[in-house]
Amino acid sequence: MRYRIVVAAATVLVISAPWASAAPRFREVGRALGLPRHTHSWSIGTGPVNAGKAPDLVLSTHAAVVVYRVGRGSLHRMLYRAGDDPHGCAIADVDANGLGDIYCARGADLGTVRKRNHLWLQPRAGDFVERAGAWGVTDPYGRGRHVAFFELDGDGRPDLFVGNEHPRANGRRSPNRTFVNVGGARYRQVWLGATAEVGARCAQAADHDGDGWDDLLVCGQRRLYLYRNVRDRQGDRRLVDVARRLGIDQGGVVHAWLGELNGDGHADLVSVRPWRLQVRPGRGDGTFRRPVVDLGVRAASSVAVGDLDGRGGPDIVLVRGCAGGRNLADEVFLARAGWGFGRVRLPGRPSGCGDVAAAIDIDRDGADEVVIMNGARDGGRGPIQVFTTGGAWR
């Protein structure tokens, strides 16, 4: 059954059975939070920066890296670093002092220059120092794209994946790289199966097969990769690409997410190509079923997953870029029983072009807000938006 309902500021298209209750109202509060309204964008990272488990926010605008501590309905800027070509960033406590540290990749001017990625350690709360050189993670010739911290070897310290675009204009290699955390004091590069020139339009650590070890999902330039973290015959850990064997090695994927959607304990896969959104349920043996959502879309650029309406989610956010010179409206697919989704169009069509999104509970009410950046490089500048269903804001 397909029909349209107008509820408050959002248009709802139900793609399964009708809801028993009204759809939530989303409103945009990015301006009230003091976020830029006219900026480029590249990535959004979430994770605890302060002592504790509540996630904070790191934004890369392609011209600066900004770290925000999340309060109850507020954002407090902790770090601002203008720089040349910052790209993907990630948060983890790499030196085991209880405070979150920030690692950011940088581009290399199409592979024509030598550069250095940045690792900002936080020796004291709110005091960041750059230590990429001392920790051995500058990656001077990599055309930095997306990065991820993950647990590779089981020692409890965050290891690091650095994704790079290729080729370089000057002919040097620009492979993806993996680094092992050595005693919380430095990183050592390792070649365990993911060091290759395949690109990284996205990178995510997730336990795909439920064995307690982090696996690695990477959107390559030609196809999707899923590196399973396995033990080899010598007892060492290795990253083995299983995407082709699992039938998920489709080309053209610009973003993907791996995690549990329906509460059955198995990792599911959300993938987006500019023209299609797909959701594949996972099985207990690590394989995937046929897509339960296989939807044609326009100008899709990325997805985010979180509990946006406070019903236990997880819900899916689809960010769309520009078509015909106009930024298209972003959409939310709100989870229902089974594999049903209610399709909600977010209000407004901002300037710029939709780029990336992340779900994070900014007002601490149990429902996630969604942060969307609209400054894709080919579409100019746009606002950093925050959509919420909550009511208590400063």
Side-chain angles (χ1 to χ4, degrees), residues 139-180:
D139 193 18
Y141 297 107
R143 294 181 61 188
R145 288 306 181 258
H146 291 280
V147 302
F149 287 108
F150 69 122
E151 178 55 55
L152 174 61
D153 54 6
D155 66 357
R157 300 184 179 93
D159 306 308
L160 177 64
F161 170 81
V162 180
N164 291 309
E165 189 173 340
H166 71 94
R168 285 181 58 95
N170 64 7
R172 283 185 175 269
R173 297 187 69 245
S174 179
N176 298 336
R177 301 184 186 276
T178 48
F179 298 87
V180 169

Side-chain angles (χ1 to χ4, degrees), residues 57-384:
L57 197 61
V58 55
L59 305 178
S60 172
T61 69
H62 208 226
V65 174
V66 191
V67 177
Y68 291 97
R69 177 167 52 88
V70 176
R72 190 175 294 275
S74 62
L75 298 176
H76 305 277
R77 196 168 78 177
M78 298 181 66
L79 173 70
Y80 179 92
R81 289 290 186 273
D84 183 23
D85 216 12
H87 288 173
C89 298
I91 304 170
D93 180 10
V94 304
D95 54 2
N97 70 344
L99 299 171
D101 309 303
I102 314 294
Y103 184 81
C104 294
R106 291 176 61 206
D109 197 12
L110 301 180
T112 61
V113 300
R114 178 187 174 99
K115 54 83 189 179
R116 56 182 292 144
N117 293 346
H118 289 150
L119 173 62
W120 284 289
L121 299 182
Q122 193 180 183
R124 293 167 296 278
D127 182 16
F128 290 88
V129 292
E130 206 288 304
R131 291 291 184 266
W135 279 64
V137 287
T138 58
D139 193 18
Y141 297 107
R143 294 181 61 188
R145 288 306 181 258
H146 291 280
V147 302
F149 287 108
F150 69 122
E151 178 55 55
L152 174 61
D153 54 6
D155 66 357
R157 300 184 179 93
D159 306 308
L160 177 64
F161 170 81
V162 180
N164 291 309
E165 189 173 340
H166 71 94
R168 285 181 58 95
N170 64 7
R172 283 185 175 269
R173 297 187 69 245
S174 179
N176 298 336
R177 301 184 186 276
T178 48
F179 298 87
V180 169
N181 189 314
V182 181
R186 64 184 178 89
Y187 277 104
R188 172 173 55 88
Q189 186 174 351
V190 292
W191 288 263
L192 301 179
T195 303
E197 285 191 309
V198 299
R201 293 171 170 172
C202 76
Q204 181 202 352
D207 183 4
H208 155 247
D209 52 1
D211 65 353
W213 292 89
D214 278 347
D215 306 304
L216 192 63
L217 181 70
V218 176
C219 304
Q221 289 169 219
R222 293 188 176 181
R223 67 173 180 90
L224 189 66
Y225 293 81
L226 177 55
Y227 294 99
R228 185 172 288 173
N229 188 342
V230 301
R231 192 180 300 277
D232 63 18
R233 293 180 179 177
Q234 288 72 43
D236 299 320
R237 307 305 301 185
R238 292 196 61 81
L239 295 170
V240 177
D241 176 35
V242 296
R244 184 159 290 163
R245 177 164 63 84
L246 298 178
I248 60 170
D249 59 330
Q250 66 261 45
V253 175
V254 293
H255 199 238
W257 180 89
L258 185 66
E260 188 179 352
L261 286 173
N262 69 335
D264 65 359
H266 309 319
D268 309 304
L269 177 66
V270 182
S271 63
V272 61
R273 289 173 280 182
W275 61 90
R276 188 159 296 277
L277 171 69
Q278 292 182 316
V279 178
R280 287 178 169 83
R283 297 188 178 100
D285 60 1
T287 62
F288 294 96
R289 291 164 48 194
R290 293 172 61 88
V292 293
V293 174
D294 191 1
L295 186 66
V297 295
R298 293 179 65 203
S301 62
S302 67
V303 293
V305 176
D307 181 11
L308 304 185
D309 57 4
R311 299 185 179 200
D315 311 304
I316 301 170
V317 181
L318 175 67
V319 180
R320 301 198 299 169
C322 287
R326 187 182 184 192
N327 198 5
L328 302 183
D330 302 318
E331 297 180 297
V332 174
F333 295 81
L334 294 164
R336 299 185 63 246
W339 287 104
F341 290 91
R343 187 175 180 181
V344 178
R345 179 174 294 174
L346 292 175
R349 294 196 184 191
S351 60
C353 286
D355 194 3
V356 293
I360 179 173
D361 186 1
I362 295 177
D363 59 3
R364 306 296 194 232
D365 68 349
D368 289 326
E369 281 67 49
V370 56
V371 182
I372 300 177
M373 301 181 80
N374 292 280
R377 283 183 298 170
D378 295 337
R381 301 170 184 265
I384 300 176

